[in-house]
Amino acid sequence: MDRIKLDYTNVLSSAVGEEHGLRPADLEAIAASSDAALAAVQARRTKDLRWLDLPHQDAVQRDVLNYAATMQASFKSGEIENVVVLGIGGSALGNRALHAALSSPFHDIARPDGMPRLIVLDNVDPDLVGEFLDTFDVSKCLFNVISKSGSTAETMSQFLVLRKRLIEAVGEEAHRKHIVVTTDAEKGVLRPIVDAEGYASFIVPDGVGGRFSVLSPVGLVSSALVGIDVPGLLAGAADMDERCREAPFAENPALIYAAIQFLMQSKKAKPMAVTFSYSQRLACVGDWYAQLLAESIGKRKSLAGEDVFVGPTPISAVGVTDQHSQVQLYVEGPFDKWFTLLAVERADHTVEIPSQYADHDALSYLGGRTINELFTAEREGTRIALTDASRPSVSIQFPAVTAHSVGQYMYLMELSVAVMGEHYGIDAFDQPGVEAGKIAAYALMGRSGYDERRQEIEAAQGGAPKVV
Ligand code: PA5
């Protein structure tokens, strides 16, 4: 089986020294509370943390695959050329991560025959939305409107813009075939619209928050539409679930990763968590994790209601590209970071470097080797440089980038973050800071019920702005 592995040798004091590295005793000391944290998380599996069970939702998987199969004729005939996700945050980052990881990096430029592009329109920058409207024929698009709450202003405004455009382009009746909605079974404004319009739709189940929803129809529908191996993805996640559900600390990668994150911040003063993907394909998976970590652990209040202001700052970097922009800081800058290197053992391609210019030393050593060897050497070079400079790192080793290994990784990170929440003593599943911004935007846009907040904002803006 293509199991992913967590190698934490280089986070230990034996590799990076006592000041920055963890002693085995540090890990032993957190083992019992880690096991208890896992038990506490798993006890909520059938209650409010139903995302834990998403890999096993066979009926949902079948419905998603059936829907994707019904759309194949439209893709093959050229009637639909683009699948466009209208969503944001947890309703978009996983879609992009899966597509980037599991489709060709050039899928959307050199579109394979009979396959749609996947465009994730996760911003309301008018230059993005406007350029989309100028560039694409909406009558050749299938819009996957994704919003768990069914009320997020960004997604709803895009829905309103694109629905109108669709109706103008193809007519009231035909526009319905161009929209598939993923939302709550009952809450929010989208569900009654789905019922009234007869749009195809999928449910974001209860107990599945936005950033934990990638393995629900939120992430699966667009993935199935662009030909990603959804059964493989879920099987990988299910394997990781089985591996971590009850395993004790020493054998449990989710518990060890969560403990390292917590100890790096609380004991080693490293608030920056860098995910360094040595895989172009996994770059957006790093972005997906950044949201998972930031929104889950970045909290003002403890579970006891006290102000604690905790949370690591996630950073997503891509090897080798960011060796030439960020590694200088990582190796010589402040000792405030720890690193997770995503390493892929087997690439899909082997690219040989032909021997040329034998009399130029700067080129001749490359000839006869492979780009693969160079890529591995660069990754190992970075790991060694970090270790030599006393910068702790772990490696998550992917045998290859497949739906199965990505499913394992995503589930591993989700469970790990849930356990981190217990260590940090905060609620990892709410997002009051995000809600505060949403409420302020509703107030500024004149949504009914938000007048009082609008008045507060206006009153607070009393002073003259300082602008140069
Ligand atoms: O993780 C989260 O909960 C958020 O990032 C949400 O996914 C994001 O705010 C979008 O919310 P919704 O899916 O309700 O439109």
Side-chain angles (χ1 to χ4, degrees):
M1 207 219 337
D2 64 340
R3 270 195 162 186
I4 65 172
K5 293 185 205 131
L6 172 66
D7 179 346
Y8 59 101
T9 314
N10 294 305
V11 94
L12 298 176
S13 54
S14 49
V16 292
E18 289 277 327
E19 190 181 350
H20 299 291
L22 299 174
R23 290 172 302 131
D26 296 327
L27 291 172
E28 279 156 28
I30 202 172
S33 58
S34 298
D35 292 340
L38 178 64
V41 168
Q42 294 293 356
R44 294 164 67 181
R45 191 180 186 99
T46 52
K47 300 177 185 134
D48 59 332
L49 303 188
R50 294 204 206 155
W51 54 267
L52 285 162
D53 211 40
L54 287 175
H56 311 286
Q57 303 294 312
D58 295 344
V60 173
Q61 180 184 161
R62 206 174 44 241
D63 289 349
V64 168
L65 293 175
N66 284 342
Y67 172 72
T70 64
M71 293 309 299
Q72 291 311 308
S74 309
F75 300 151
K76 290 211 161 61
S77 68
E79 194 190 332
I80 300 286
E81 293 180 350
N82 310 298
V83 172
V84 185
V85 166
L86 306 182
I88 196 162
S91 294
L93 285 159
N95 306 71
R96 181 179 290 125
L98 290 174
H99 184 46
L102 301 170
S103 305
S104 158
F106 302 109
H107 178 105
D108 296 323
I109 299 171
R111 192 163 56 90
D113 270 353
M115 278 283 185
R117 294 181 193 86
L118 179 60
I119 298 164
V120 180
L121 218 55
D122 60 345
N123 201 341
V124 284
D125 180 338
D127 282 341
L128 178 76
V129 179
E131 204 63 38
F132 173 83
L133 294 171
D134 289 351
T135 307
F136 291 97
D137 175 355
V138 293
S139 71
K140 289 192 175 288
C141 295
L142 172 66
F143 294 96
N144 184 194
V145 186
I146 310 176
S147 177
K148 177 177 169 62
S149 62
S151 64
T152 303
E154 295 88 340
T155 308
M156 293 306 106
S157 61
Q158 290 179 336
F159 166 65
L160 295 175
V161 169
L162 288 154
R163 176 177 177 274
K164 187 81 195 311
R165 286 287 181 123
L166 266 176
I167 292 173
E168 284 162 7
V170 301
E172 178 81 32
E173 184 55 37
H175 98 277
R176 300 193 171 96
K177 270 185 17 199
H178 292 259
I179 293 180
V180 51
V181 175
T182 308
T183 191
D184 193 88
E186 287 168 9
K187 286 182 231 119
V189 76
L190 273 177
R191 185 55 62 187
I193 289 176
V194 164
D195 294 341
E197 298 277 8
Y199 295 141
S201 77
F202 290 88
I203 291 172
V204 190
D206 284 345
V208 179
R211 56 194 176 274
F212 292 87
S213 68
V214 63
L215 301 172
S216 79
V218 168
L220 299 184
V221 172
S222 66
S223 297
L225 289 168
V226 295
I228 286 170
D229 173 13
V230 165
L233 179 78
L234 293 174
D239 281 350
M240 188 55 76
D241 177 24
E242 200 174 309
R243 196 169 153 191
C244 296
R245 197 186 298 200
E246 290 175 350
F249 181 76
E251 292 157 30
N252 193 321
L255 294 189
I256 293 175
Y257 192 78
I260 292 171
Q261 167 58 62
F262 179 63
L263 294 172
M264 278 290 131
Q265 181 155 25
S266 61
K267 214 172 155 60
K268 297 292 167 183
K270 301 193 190 312
M272 314 278 175
V274 180
T275 300
F276 210 148
S277 310
Y278 270 81
S279 163
Q280 190 67 35
R281 290 182 151 176
L282 296 177
C284 295
V285 169
D287 296 339
W288 167 84
Y289 178 64
Q291 187 221 8
L292 180 68
L293 183 65
E295 237 175 64
S296 301
I297 309 298
K299 296 288 154 71
R300 171 177 177 166
K301 296 284 182 192
S302 71
L303 287 170
E306 287 154 0
D307 278 346
V308 285
F309 300 103
V310 296
T313 299
I315 299 168
S316 179
V318 187
V320 303
T321 311
D322 288 326
Q323 279 180 219
H324 296 266
S325 74
Q326 297 171 24
V327 161
Q328 171 59 34
L329 169 74
Y330 294 167
V331 172
E332 292 196 344
F335 287 86
D336 57 358
K337 303 175 190 65
W338 75 283
F339 300 85
T340 299
L341 303 178
L342 304 185
V344 179
E345 284 162 23
R346 204 175 55 249
D348 289 350
H349 300 83
T350 302
V351 181
E352 285 167 9
I353 309 173
S355 297
Q356 291 159 86
Y357 299 112
D359 49 342
H360 288 290
D361 288 349
L363 300 179
S364 60
Y365 75 100
L366 293 169
R369 308 296 295 266
T370 61
I371 292 278
N372 307 54
E373 288 174 298
L374 177 62
F375 193 54
T376 303
E378 301 249 17
R379 186 189 74 223
E380 284 306 290
T382 299
R383 185 186 59 73
I384 291 163
L386 289 170
T387 306
D388 287 352
S390 301
R391 315 292 166 145
S393 67
V394 301
S395 293
I396 297 184
Q397 294 162 351
F398 289 64
V401 180
T402 60
H404 196 273
S405 65
V406 171
Q408 290 177 65
Y409 172 79
M410 288 180 141
Y411 197 87
L412 173 65
M413 290 297 113
E414 288 180 345
L415 180 58
S416 195
V417 165
V419 171
M420 283 173 208
E422 301 287 312
H423 289 318
Y424 279 88
I426 50 86
D427 182 348
F429 306 103
D430 65 359
Q431 52 284 323
V434 180
E435 302 305 329
K438 283 187 180 182
I439 288 166
Y442 293 152
L444 292 172
M445 289 294 285
R447 183 172 171 179
S448 70
Y450 295 84
D451 296 347
E452 201 177 316
R453 182 70 190 118
R454 186 171 176 194
Q455 283 154 16
E456 283 168 11
I457 293 169
E458 282 169 358
Q461 284 169 346
K466 305 275 183 296
V467 181
V468 290

